[in-house]
């Protein structure tokens, strides 16, 4: 059920997105790492009578393009791109949905965008709890050089991951996820480029919660009971500051959670 596949150019960036449904309300969705906008098809079908759904490809995923890997996009630039797209579409109010890494994008938009936000749907959202390993890979210059080296020389990374598994610093599920995402040159390049491009997108959880509270924006959060990547503990810095929210924990893992939410009998948004 794809109505349109479209592109939007803003300065040196090109966003690709799919438009689903024909509802009077607008829902904008951002997927997780290693996915593309197609992953919201099942959710869009579920909501198509109420919403027109716009699912965007993240940079370095699908057909969206940005200038290069090493130039980080700032929260203000990210917001400016989406605000410019909204202006071109003549849309003045939206709801937002983010899965995994897309949750970080959505929360950044909540914090920085001037558009009126009606509802927020977070599915196993990344970006709430600061991750030490992510910071080490993206911020210190020496660590970025080492990380780039692993694109063509993955031995160091694989040895490190195995060691962290043996000393129980990393969960086995996270180790499997990391190894899968780094098992080819193209995948390792995607990891490097994505992390570097989005390294400045770090939502201020306190400001996000304040905006949700002030404007009384309803928030629903879905987690997987067997998800070892995003847990109830990792999202607690946000939900403990939000006055009103709904939290649902499905008897699922991480990777198929968008489809799992769409299949929920009592799901509504």
């Amino acid at each position: 059920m794809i109505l349109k596949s479209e592109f939007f150019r803003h300065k040196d960036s090109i966003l690709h997105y799919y438009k689903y449904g024909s509802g009077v309300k607008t829902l904008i969705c951002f997927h997780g790492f290693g996915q593309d906008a197609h992953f919201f098809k099942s959710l869009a079908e579920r909501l198509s009578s109420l919403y027109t759904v716009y699912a965007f490809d993240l940079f370095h995923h699908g057909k969206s393009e940005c200038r290069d890997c090493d130039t980080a996009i700032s929260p203000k630039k990210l917001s400016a791109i989406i605000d410019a797209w909204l202006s071109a579409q003549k849309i003045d109010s939206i709801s937002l949905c983010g899965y995994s890494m897309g949750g970080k994008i959505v929360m950044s938009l909540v914090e920085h965008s001037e558009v009126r936000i009606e509802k927020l749907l977070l599915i196993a959202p990344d970006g709430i709890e600061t991750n030490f390993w992510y910071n080490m890979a993206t911020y210190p210059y020496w660590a970025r050089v080492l990380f780039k080296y692993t694109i063509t020389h993955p031995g160091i990374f694989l040895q490190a991951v195995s060691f962290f598994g043996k000393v129980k610093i990393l969960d086995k599920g996270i180790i499997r996820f990391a190894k899968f995402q780094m098992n080819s040159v193209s995948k390792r390049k995607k990891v490097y480029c994505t992390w570097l491009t989005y390294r400045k997108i770090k939502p201020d959880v306190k400001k996000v919660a304040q905006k949700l509270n002030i404007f009384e924006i309803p928030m629903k959060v879905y987690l997987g009971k067997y998800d070892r990547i995003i847990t109830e503990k990792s999202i607690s810095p946000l939900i403990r500051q939000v006055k009103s929210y709904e939290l649902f924990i499905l008897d699922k893992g991480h990777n198929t959670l968008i489809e799992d939410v769409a299949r929920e009998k009592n799901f509504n948004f």
Side-chain angles (χ1 to χ4, degrees):
M1 187 198 63
I2 298 175
L3 293 185
K4 287 185 179 180
S5 171
E6 297 188 345
F7 294 87
F8 177 74
R9 182 183 292 274
H10 180 78
K11 297 181 179 178
D12 56 355
S13 302
I14 299 174
L15 279 181
H16 172 257
Y17 61 93
Y18 291 111
K19 178 182 177 182
Y20 300 91
S22 57
V24 296
K25 297 181 179 181
T26 299
L27 176 63
I28 295 178
C29 302
F30 294 92
H31 59 79
F33 178 82
Q35 300 180 337
D36 60 28
H38 275 119
F39 278 74
F40 282 104
K41 185 176 184 292
S42 58
L43 189 66
E45 288 177 341
R46 182 71 183 267
L47 298 172
S48 61
S49 62
L50 296 174
Y51 289 92
T52 298
V53 179
Y54 298 90
F56 286 85
D57 287 336
L58 296 178
F59 293 126
H60 311 297
H61 294 69
K63 301 174 185 177
S64 290
E65 300 177 16
C66 61
R67 189 171 65 182
D68 55 54
C69 283
D70 297 313
T71 302
I73 185 171
S74 69
K76 289 185 177 180
K77 181 177 180 180
L78 175 65
S79 179
I81 294 172
I82 299 302
D83 287 347
W85 177 83
L86 290 169
S87 179
Q89 299 292 323
K90 296 181 171 55
I91 296 173
D92 57 12
S93 64
I94 60 173
S95 292
L96 289 167
C97 173
Y99 164 71
S100 196
M101 181 180 172
K104 177 167 65 173
I105 306 302
V106 161
M107 286 184 286
S108 183
L109 292 175
V110 170
E111 182 182 352
H112 295 281
S113 178
E114 297 298 323
V115 69
R116 184 165 70 88
I117 299 171
E118 296 181 348
K119 294 182 180 181
L120 179 63
L121 174 59
L122 297 174
I123 303 175
D126 187 19
I128 296 174
E129 186 176 61
T130 301
N131 185 294
F132 172 79
W133 305 108
Y134 178 86
N135 287 345
M136 284 297 291
T138 56
Y139 298 129
Y141 176 76
W142 64 266
R144 296 207 303 269
V145 171
L146 179 61
F147 188 30
K148 190 172 184 178
Y149 179 80
T150 65
I151 293 176
T152 53
H153 303 80
I156 295 175
F157 169 82
L158 295 174
Q159 290 175 16
V161 167
S162 296
F163 170 77
F164 292 138
K166 288 179 181 178
V167 298
K168 301 187 184 304
I169 292 178
L170 292 178
D171 179 85
K172 290 181 180 179
I174 295 176
I175 292 172
R176 286 195 298 269
F177 177 82
K179 287 184 176 180
F180 175 76
Q181 297 296 352
M182 297 284 278
N183 65 8
S184 71
V185 172
S186 61
K187 285 185 179 181
R188 291 192 292 273
K189 185 175 181 181
K190 178 177 286 189
V191 170
Y192 175 80
C193 288
T194 303
W195 282 12
L196 267 291
T197 294
Y198 288 108
R199 68 183 183 270
K200 292 185 178 180
I201 305 300
K202 300 186 297 178
D204 186 319
V205 173
K206 183 177 180 179
K207 290 181 179 179
V208 172
Q210 285 176 341
K211 194 165 183 179
L212 294 176
N213 292 335
I214 291 171
F215 293 99
E216 298 182 338
I217 300 170
M219 180 177 75
K220 288 190 176 184
V221 182
Y222 282 85
L223 301 178
K225 180 179 179 180
Y226 304 107
D227 189 346
R228 296 295 179 263
I229 299 172
I230 307 297
T231 65
E232 190 170 358
K233 179 182 177 182
S234 70
I235 68 164
S236 62
L238 174 64
I239 62 175
R240 68 171 176 242
Q241 298 184 69
V242 176
K243 292 179 181 178
S244 179
Y245 66 90
E246 293 181 90
L247 173 62
F248 304 89
I249 301 179
L250 306 185
D251 197 27
K252 305 293 181 179
H254 183 82
N255 293 335
T256 63
L257 209 49
I258 297 176
E259 293 86 353
D260 296 329
V261 170
R263 285 194 292 262
E264 276 293 289
K265 182 178 179 180
N266 298 319
F267 171 71
N268 63 81
F269 185 63

